[in-house]
mmCIF file of all heavy atoms in Angstrom:
data_model
loop_
_atom_site.group_PDB
_atom_site.id
_atom_site.type_symbol
_atom_site.label_atom_id
_atom_site.label_comp_id
_atom_site.label_asym_id
_atom_site.label_seq_id
_atom_site.Cartn_x
_atom_site.Cartn_y
_atom_site.Cartn_z
ATOM 1 N N LEU A 1288 1.099 5.631 -1.373
ATOM 2 C CA LEU A 1288 0.236 6.800 -1.463
ATOM 3 C C LEU A 1288 -0.479 6.898 -2.799
ATOM 4 O O LEU A 1288 -1.513 7.559 -2.906
ATOM 5 C CB LEU A 1288 1.062 8.065 -1.236
ATOM 6 C CG LEU A 1288 1.688 8.217 0.154
ATOM 7 C CD1 LEU A 1288 2.519 9.487 0.215
ATOM 8 C CD2 LEU A 1288 0.617 8.236 1.234
ATOM 9 N N SER A 1313 -13.610 1.789 -2.794
ATOM 10 C CA SER A 1313 -14.743 1.229 -3.525
ATOM 11 C C SER A 1313 -14.267 0.267 -4.609
ATOM 12 O O SER A 1313 -14.881 -0.786 -4.834
ATOM 13 C CB SER A 1313 -15.570 2.351 -4.154
ATOM 14 O OG SER A 1313 -16.090 3.208 -3.151
ATOM 15 N N LEU A 1316 -13.392 -2.982 -2.940
ATOM 16 C CA LEU A 1316 -14.574 -3.768 -2.605
ATOM 17 C C LEU A 1316 -15.154 -4.449 -3.847
ATOM 18 O O LEU A 1316 -15.556 -5.622 -3.798
ATOM 19 C CB LEU A 1316 -15.606 -2.861 -1.947
ATOM 20 C CG LEU A 1316 -16.852 -3.535 -1.374
ATOM 21 C CD1 LEU A 1316 -16.464 -4.511 -0.273
ATOM 22 C CD2 LEU A 1316 -17.834 -2.495 -0.844
ATOM 23 N N GLU A 1359 -13.975 -9.474 6.881
ATOM 24 C CA GLU A 1359 -13.038 -9.635 7.983
ATOM 25 C C GLU A 1359 -11.689 -9.041 7.595
ATOM 26 O O GLU A 1359 -11.085 -9.438 6.598
ATOM 27 C CB GLU A 1359 -12.890 -11.121 8.319
ATOM 28 C CG GLU A 1359 -12.020 -11.387 9.531
ATOM 29 C CD GLU A 1359 -11.945 -12.866 9.850
ATOM 30 O OE1 GLU A 1359 -12.806 -13.624 9.365
ATOM 31 O OE2 GLU A 1359 -11.018 -13.264 10.588
ATOM 32 N N SER A 1371 13.968 -13.123 4.326
ATOM 33 C CA SER A 1371 15.229 -13.793 4.023
ATOM 34 C C SER A 1371 16.390 -13.011 4.619
ATOM 35 O O SER A 1371 16.410 -11.780 4.624
ATOM 36 C CB SER A 1371 15.405 -13.922 2.509
ATOM 37 O OG SER A 1371 16.685 -14.447 2.210
ATOM 38 N N GLY A 1393 -0.556 -18.975 7.304
ATOM 39 C CA GLY A 1393 -0.105 -19.680 8.500
ATOM 40 C C GLY A 1393 -0.788 -19.172 9.751
ATOM 41 O O GLY A 1393 -1.145 -19.952 10.641
ATOM 42 N N ALA A 1415 -8.323 10.238 20.843
ATOM 43 C CA ALA A 1415 -7.934 10.556 22.214
ATOM 44 C C ALA A 1415 -6.421 10.730 22.355
ATOM 45 O O ALA A 1415 -5.960 11.384 23.292
ATOM 46 C CB ALA A 1415 -8.424 9.463 23.167
ATOM 47 N N GLY A 1444 27.843 37.461 19.702
ATOM 48 C CA GLY A 1444 28.551 37.660 20.957
ATOM 49 C C GLY A 1444 27.665 38.041 22.112
ATOM 50 O O GLY A 1444 28.164 38.472 23.158
ATOM 51 N N GLY A 1457 10.564 43.183 24.156
ATOM 52 C CA GLY A 1457 10.843 44.603 24.255
ATOM 53 C C GLY A 1457 12.299 44.926 24.525
ATOM 54 O O GLY A 1457 12.733 46.076 24.364
ATOM 55 N N ARG A 1463 23.157 44.976 22.954
ATOM 56 C CA ARG A 1463 24.344 45.464 22.272
ATOM 57 C C ARG A 1463 25.365 44.334 22.168
ATOM 58 O O ARG A 1463 25.494 43.500 23.068
ATOM 59 C CB ARG A 1463 24.972 46.647 23.034
ATOM 60 C CG ARG A 1463 24.150 47.915 23.006
ATOM 61 C CD ARG A 1463 24.096 48.492 21.589
ATOM 62 N NE ARG A 1463 23.379 49.765 21.543
ATOM 63 C CZ ARG A 1463 22.071 49.865 21.319
ATOM 64 N NH1 ARG A 1463 21.335 48.752 21.170
ATOM 65 N NH2 ARG A 1463 21.504 51.049 21.273
ATOM 66 N N PRO A 1472 19.712 44.768 11.333
ATOM 67 C CA PRO A 1472 18.258 44.807 11.062
ATOM 68 C C PRO A 1472 17.678 43.461 10.630
ATOM 69 O O PRO A 1472 16.574 43.107 11.064
ATOM 70 C CB PRO A 1472 18.129 45.865 9.965
ATOM 71 C CG PRO A 1472 19.497 45.996 9.379
ATOM 72 C CD PRO A 1472 20.460 45.706 10.484
ATOM 73 N N SER A 1556 16.883 -7.981 24.921
ATOM 74 C CA SER A 1556 17.029 -8.749 23.674
ATOM 75 C C SER A 1556 18.231 -9.669 23.827
ATOM 76 O O SER A 1556 19.354 -9.313 23.455
ATOM 77 C CB SER A 1556 17.202 -7.816 22.479
ATOM 78 O OG SER A 1556 18.227 -6.871 22.733
ATOM 79 N N ALA A 1570 15.041 -3.914 23.568
ATOM 80 C CA ALA A 1570 14.506 -4.319 22.270
ATOM 81 C C ALA A 1570 14.107 -3.104 21.436
ATOM 82 O O ALA A 1570 14.286 -3.085 20.221
ATOM 83 C CB ALA A 1570 13.301 -5.247 22.471
#
Side-chain angles (χ1 to χ4, degrees):
L1288 296 178
S1313 299
L1316 187 62
E1359 185 178 342
S1371 174
R1463 291 293 184 269
S1556 51

